[in-house]
Amino acid sequence: MVDKPQSGSILGIPYNFERPSLGRLVSSHWKPGDGMVVEKPFGIGYSLNMANWRSWIVVIVAAVLLWQERGGESDTDIDDADDEPVEVIVDD
């Protein structure tokens, strides 16, 4: 039986299913001479190159958006008092 290749590219998207190691994980996410995205050390697709300053901007923006989505500061505690039912009187 023919062995399937452990790494390669399909339709321009890289894949790598070799056993991951700590050295390979670090070396693939820290490539100072490369662009913002690099091939993943394990799995399918691309990952961020943490040696590139643009990747840090992406991480910071994602963290801020996640922080805002989860509620940010405790401003929601103050608004909870305003959520009580309001009685409306309509004159005819």
Side-chain angles (χ1 to χ4, degrees):
M1 187 168 170
V2 178
D3 291 332
K4 295 181 181 178
Q6 296 292 315
S7 63
S9 177
I10 296 177
L11 299 173
I13 300 173
Y15 67 90
N16 188 354
F17 294 112
E18 297 172 3
R19 182 173 287 249
S21 67
L22 184 61
R24 206 172 72 195
L25 289 172
V26 171
S27 68
S28 67
H29 288 289
W30 192 266
K31 293 185 177 183
D34 290 350
M36 189 172 115
V37 292
V38 292
E39 293 181 10
K40 285 180 115 179
F42 181 77
I44 301 170
Y46 296 95
S47 182
L48 290 175
N49 178 10
M50 300 314 289
N52 191 315
W53 63 272
R54 291 180 195 108
S55 297
W56 286 102
I57 302 254
V58 170
V59 170
I60 290 169
V61 167
V64 166
L65 291 174
L66 182 64
W67 179 72
Q68 281 184 338
E69 180 185 54
R70 293 201 175 171
E73 297 178 12
S74 60
D75 291 345
T76 57
D77 297 337
I78 297 170
D79 294 337
D80 288 342
D82 296 334
D83 291 340
E84 297 176 8
V86 178
E87 183 178 344
V88 178
I89 300 173
V90 179
D91 290 333
D92 287 331

